[in-house]
Amino acid sequence: MRIGILTHPLMYNYGGILQNYALQCVLKDMGHDVLTVDRRPNYKYGVSIYSVLDYLRRIYYNIPKHRVTRWNPNLPINQTEYWNISANINKFIGNKIDRTVACSDSDLSTIDERYRFDCYVIGSDQVWVPGCCPLMFVDFSKRNDVSKIFYAASAGKKTWMDVPEKLEQCLILSKQFRAISVREEELKTKAETVLSRKIQVVLDPTMLLEANRYFDEGLLPEHINNNLFAYILDESKVKLDCVSKALTLLGASLVSGFTIDNSRIIKSALPSVEEWLEKMFSARYVVTDSFHGCVFAILFEKQFSVIVNKQRGQERFYTLLSKFGLLDRIVSDGDGIQKNIAKPIDYRSVKAILTKEREQSLLFIKSSLQE
């Protein structure tokens, strides 16, 4: 089967890139011909009452954090900055992810006609936020001979179901979907009520692969060193204090610098995806506020603590950690860090759960793709 993966533009988000890579690997392993639709970000952002009010709101929010507020909320950096920081990351995308020709969202109808995919698999990541819909419901395709599946759809604080005009459009389009799965329990409950159909909770695509699949020739790096890997998306005093506490308790060296600091224009390239993976895998301990930071800490069997990132959507953290019996890994201060370090994770039970959940998630994909 010829499958097109539809997800967010592949930019400088390590988790977003790796979930796309993993989903493509899984579909190829099943014998399908797979391409990711190479959506490129729109650097333009129109002027409206909504965009002006949203800009003012973001200014108010960012002032205490000493962050620059950019007009386009979908692109926190400009085009020149993007090419500067993404040079290393783009090598992984170019070498590891098979894509269509580059396109803007206005070109998707043309892409659909050119590639004529038998099926679109939409996901993972937060593809159910209002700004992505109804596009993520494949509204650009008018063909009747194409199947559509959501795999591990997710959302932040708000979904298309919370916006009346989006709700009406997406309800109609959802009837064309062969199967729908999501990442969060709360989202499943809400979607089943709205869509009046069964929804399955599945693993993020990154957890469908064994750890060694993320390294060339399947060779895992030498480990463990005495480093603390801090993957913090949104800095705050509390988060930095947690990192500092962990460093003190462990007597470890700090490894970080894998995220954009919005307080300045970045001129140097971010580390490569391969380096992100290697630093995570080799670290003695991980502190993160990232969902995918959390996912890979589990996949790589790391001792870790997570500060839930409410700004980017907290339910996904609770669903993930609850599934593996790891809710105690959530911390809010240095005391929580100290308790976690004193009580290491026993990965024997976690591995058993992961094996079972992986089987169920792969079964969802296989059964959804059956002709």
Side-chain angles (χ1 to χ4, degrees):
M1 186 183 293
R2 189 169 176 80
I3 296 176
I5 295 176
L6 189 63
T7 187
H8 292 297
L10 300 174
M11 296 180 67
Y12 44 76
N13 181 314
Y14 295 100
I17 293 166
L18 287 166
Q19 63 84 19
N20 190 168
Y21 167 73
L23 183 56
Q24 189 168 101
C25 284
V26 167
L27 293 171
K28 285 185 175 183
D29 288 348
M30 293 178 180
H32 301 292
D33 179 16
V34 189
L35 292 176
T36 292
V37 178
D38 192 11
R39 297 173 59 222
R40 296 298 173 94
N42 183 4
Y43 290 90
K44 297 179 180 179
Y45 189 60
V47 178
S48 66
I49 293 176
Y50 170 81
S51 60
V52 171
L53 290 175
D54 183 58
Y55 180 58
L56 294 174
R57 178 189 64 78
R58 289 184 287 113
I59 289 176
Y60 177 78
Y61 179 82
N62 284 333
I63 285 176
K65 298 187 175 184
H66 306 289
R67 288 181 176 172
V68 174
T69 303
R70 301 189 183 277
W71 174 248
N72 186 344
N74 302 316
L75 200 68
I77 57 176
N78 63 40
Q79 192 167 8
T80 300
E81 292 166 349
Y82 166 68
W83 288 114
N84 284 338
I85 69 170
S86 62
N88 294 330
I89 292 173
N90 282 338
K91 292 176 184 176
F92 180 92
I93 296 171
N95 293 333
K96 301 286 189 178
I97 300 178
D98 295 330
R99 294 158 293 153
T100 65
V101 296
C103 62
S104 65
D105 289 347
S106 61
D107 299 324
L108 289 175
S109 294
T110 303
I111 292 293
D112 181 61
E113 286 297 330
R114 175 173 175 175
Y115 290 92
R116 299 195 70 83
F117 294 114
D118 301 307
C119 178
Y120 283 100
V121 177
I122 301 92
S124 170
D125 249 344
Q126 295 185 339
V127 294
W128 273 14
V129 294
C132 291
C133 300
L135 182 148
M136 288 297 176
F137 281 78
V138 199
D139 67 331
F140 53 84
S141 176
K142 308 305 178 187
R143 294 187 290 123
N144 295 321
D145 59 345
V146 59
S147 300
K148 302 164 191 175
I149 296 163
F150 273 117
Y151 183 79
S154 181
K157 295 179 180 179
K158 199 173 185 180
T159 79
W160 58 268
M161 292 177 278
D162 302 309
V163 183
E165 58 270 27
K166 302 278 187 181
L167 174 62
E168 184 177 352
Q169 290 176 292
C170 295
L171 269 177
I172 296 171
L173 292 168
S174 71
K175 298 183 187 305
Q176 302 169 9
F177 276 70
R178 179 178 290 184
I180 298 176
S181 62
V182 297
R183 245 178 13 191
E184 296 93 18
E185 291 288 350
E186 187 177 273
L187 191 57
K188 162 190 161 74
T189 301
K190 186 173 184 177
E192 285 187 331
T193 300
V194 172
L195 298 176
S196 299
R197 64 186 293 176
K198 183 179 179 181
I199 310 292
Q200 184 172 331
V201 175
V202 293
L203 289 176
D204 184 85
T206 51
M207 302 191 92
L208 299 179
L209 298 183
E210 299 283 351
N212 62 0
R213 291 289 297 274
Y214 291 99
F215 300 96
D216 288 339
E217 299 179 5
L219 298 176
L220 299 175
E222 297 279 336
H223 96 120
I224 298 173
N225 54 40
N226 195 39
N227 289 337
L228 171 80
F229 185 77
Y231 186 52
I232 306 296
L233 300 180
D234 301 297
E235 287 187 1
S236 69
K237 184 179 184 304
V238 168
K239 294 173 187 179
L240 294 178
D241 286 348
C242 285
V243 171
S244 179
K245 182 72 170 182
L247 285 170
T248 300
L249 291 169
L250 294 167
S253 299
L254 178 63
V255 175
S256 60
F258 289 80
T259 54
I260 294 176
D261 177 3
N262 287 326
S263 67
R264 63 187 177 87
I265 295 176
I266 294 185
K267 298 181 180 179
S268 58
L270 286 168
S272 67
V273 175
E274 291 89 346
E275 187 175 351
W276 186 91
L277 289 164
E278 191 276 329
K279 297 299 184 186
M280 166 75 82
F281 189 88
S282 300
R284 177 182 174 188
Y285 202 90
V286 174
V287 177
T288 187
D289 69 342
S290 155
F291 173 76
H292 279 109
C294 213
V295 164
F296 275 93
I298 295 171
L299 189 61
F300 291 168
E301 298 185 15
K302 311 309 301 179
Q303 299 301 321
F304 73 96
S305 292
V306 57
I307 305 108
V308 171
N309 198 325
K310 296 180 181 179
Q311 178 184 343
R312 296 173 184 256
Q314 62 184 8
E315 176 59 27
R316 52 189 179 156
F317 290 91
Y318 292 118
T319 295
L320 175 71
L321 295 170
S322 177
K323 190 186 299 290
F324 292 101
L326 295 173
L327 284 172
D328 60 350
R329 295 293 111 182
I330 296 174
V331 301
S332 58
D333 53 31
D335 289 341
I337 293 281
Q338 187 167 0
K339 290 177 182 177
N340 278 352
I341 291 175
K343 186 182 178 183
I345 300 167
D346 181 348
Y347 269 99
R348 287 175 296 182
S349 60
V350 173
K351 287 172 68 174
I353 295 168
L354 177 56
T355 297
K356 181 180 178 181
E357 292 289 336
R358 183 179 282 150
E359 289 173 354
Q360 293 176 348
S361 295
L362 290 171
L363 181 60
F364 170 85
I365 295 175
K366 290 176 182 176
S367 60
S368 300
L369 292 174
Q370 286 178 350
E371 297 286 359

